[in-house]
């Protein structure tokens, strides 16, 4: 078990471009979460999946953001028409059951220029 | 409105001494609390948790204390080691987070343990 894996680690893109990040959770974990973290802040919840079902989306997640987990395993987070305010660390986490600790990946750092 | 507050942005202690990190919360519906440690360029790593039915949980050098009446919890690290230098986040969840049980996070406290 290699833990939660996120790719890429870093992404630099120009404003207006689309970007996609991938998260591979711990294999037996059925819950997968996306968080966003900016400097000096704690992680902010974006969305979560139980298996392939996306059960909740934060109001932070504008319609430019979309997340999928098509087979209940890996997940992708796409940001369309990126803006400079999207620059942040995007963290993925997984857990086995509710109230069990989240296991985080090392994140994808997005810089929008 | 910050529901989970870590009022000390930073803390510096000597190696071998006790580190005490504090966290306050405002939402009485929170019933599960966690501490995470984060090194630069890495994701947060789970350290220890406590349910609201307990007032203390211990794991090796780490102990978390919960005072529900004061809506306050603290993380004690004894003895502190240089490798403990990191940012420590307090997080909470509760029944009103729904089935999601999503975590509400503090802003973190940067701990420096000096040799």
């Amino acid at each position: 078990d290699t833990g939660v894996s996120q790719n890429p680690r870093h992404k630099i893109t120009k404003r207006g471009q689309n970007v996609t990040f991938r998260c591979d959770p711990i294999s037996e974990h059925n819950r997968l979460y996306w968080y966003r973290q900016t400097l000096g802040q704690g992680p902010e919840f974006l969305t979560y999946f139980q298996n392939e079902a996306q059960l909740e989306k934060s109001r932070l997640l504008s319609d430019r953001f979309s997340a999928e987990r098509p087979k209940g395993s890996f997940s992708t987070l796409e940001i369309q028409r990126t803006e400079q305010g999207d620059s942040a660390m995007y963290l993925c986490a997984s857990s086995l059951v509710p109230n069990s600790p989240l296991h985080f990946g090392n994140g994808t750092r997005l810089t929008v220029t | 409105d910050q529901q989970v507050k870590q009022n000390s942005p930073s803390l510096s202690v000597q190696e071998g001494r006790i580190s005490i990190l504090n966290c306050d919360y405002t939402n009485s519906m929170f019933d599960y609390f966690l501490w995470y440690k984060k090194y630069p360029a890495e994701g947060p790593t789970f350290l220890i948790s406590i349910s609201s039915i307990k007032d203390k949980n211990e794991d090796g050098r780490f102990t978390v204390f919960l005072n529900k009446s004061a809506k306050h919890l603290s993380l004690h690290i004894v003895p502190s080691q240089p490798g403990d230098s990191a940012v420590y986040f307090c997080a909470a969840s509760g029944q009103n987070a729904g089935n999601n049980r999503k975590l509400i996070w503090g802003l973190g406290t940067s701990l420096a343990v000096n040799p």
Side-chain angles (χ1 to χ4, degrees):
Chain A
D1 178 11
T2 57
V4 178
S5 176
Q6 290 187 248
N7 289 288
R9 290 297 309 276
H10 304 275
K11 178 70 177 179
I12 300 174
T13 191
K14 291 185 177 180
R15 188 176 53 191
Q17 298 294 305
N18 300 343
V19 294
T20 300
F21 311 140
R22 176 178 170 126
C23 171
D24 288 89
I26 294 172
S27 57
E28 64 268 26
H29 286 185
N30 57 9
R31 288 179 168 237
L32 185 148
Y33 298 77
W34 285 98
Y35 281 81
R36 179 172 67 188
Q37 186 173 23
T38 53
L39 197 62
Q41 301 291 317
E44 295 174 298
F45 169 79
L46 293 179
T47 188
Y48 106 103
F49 292 83
Q50 180 161 313
N51 300 314
E52 66 275 10
Q54 186 175 19
L55 297 187
E56 185 171 344
K57 291 173 63 173
S58 165
R59 289 171 294 176
L60 293 173
L61 218 62
S62 77
D63 56 6
R64 296 185 297 106
F65 288 71
S66 62
E68 294 182 344
R69 193 183 184 196
K71 297 181 180 179
S73 56
F74 73 92
S75 175
T76 57
L77 177 68
E78 181 182 16
I79 309 174
Q80 297 181 325
R81 305 181 301 281
T82 52
E83 301 172 357
Q84 287 187 319
D86 297 332
S87 296
M89 174 75 82
Y90 289 84
L91 294 164
C92 176
S94 68
S95 70
L96 186 57
V97 294
N99 255 10
S100 63
L102 300 186
H103 296 263
F104 283 86
N106 285 330
T108 294
R109 178 164 295 283
L110 172 67
T111 302
V112 182
T113 62
Chain B
D1 180 31
Q2 196 74 21
Q3 296 187 66
V4 177
K5 301 177 184 178
Q6 295 178 254
N7 292 320
S8 297
S10 63
L11 176 67
S12 181
V13 299
Q14 286 298 118
E15 181 179 4
R17 305 295 290 268
I18 185 171
S19 295
I20 300 176
L21 297 102
N22 293 303
C23 178
D24 297 291
Y25 61 96
T26 58
N27 192 332
S28 57
M29 297 297 288
F30 288 151
D31 60 6
Y32 183 56
F33 305 88
L34 307 92
W35 285 94
Y36 282 80
K37 177 171 72 173
K38 186 180 185 301
Y39 293 118
E42 294 185 10
T45 301
F46 170 73
L47 269 180
I48 193 169
S49 65
I50 188 167
S51 163
S52 60
I53 63 174
K54 302 176 76 173
D55 55 20
K56 177 182 175 181
N57 189 25
E58 189 172 356
D59 183 2
R61 296 185 299 114
F62 302 93
T63 303
V64 56
F65 295 92
L66 175 62
N67 181 336
K68 290 187 291 294
S69 61
K71 294 191 180 66
H72 176 82
L73 62 155
S74 60
L75 174 68
H76 292 209
I77 307 173
V78 182
S80 302
Q81 300 173 352
D84 296 330
S85 297
V87 178
Y88 288 77
F89 288 97
C90 172
S93 74
Q95 292 295 336
N96 63 348
N99 291 328
N100 177 358
R101 305 291 295 186
K102 65 177 179 284
L103 296 177
I104 308 299
W105 297 72
L107 298 183
T109 296
S110 179
L111 173 66
V113 180
N114 305 308

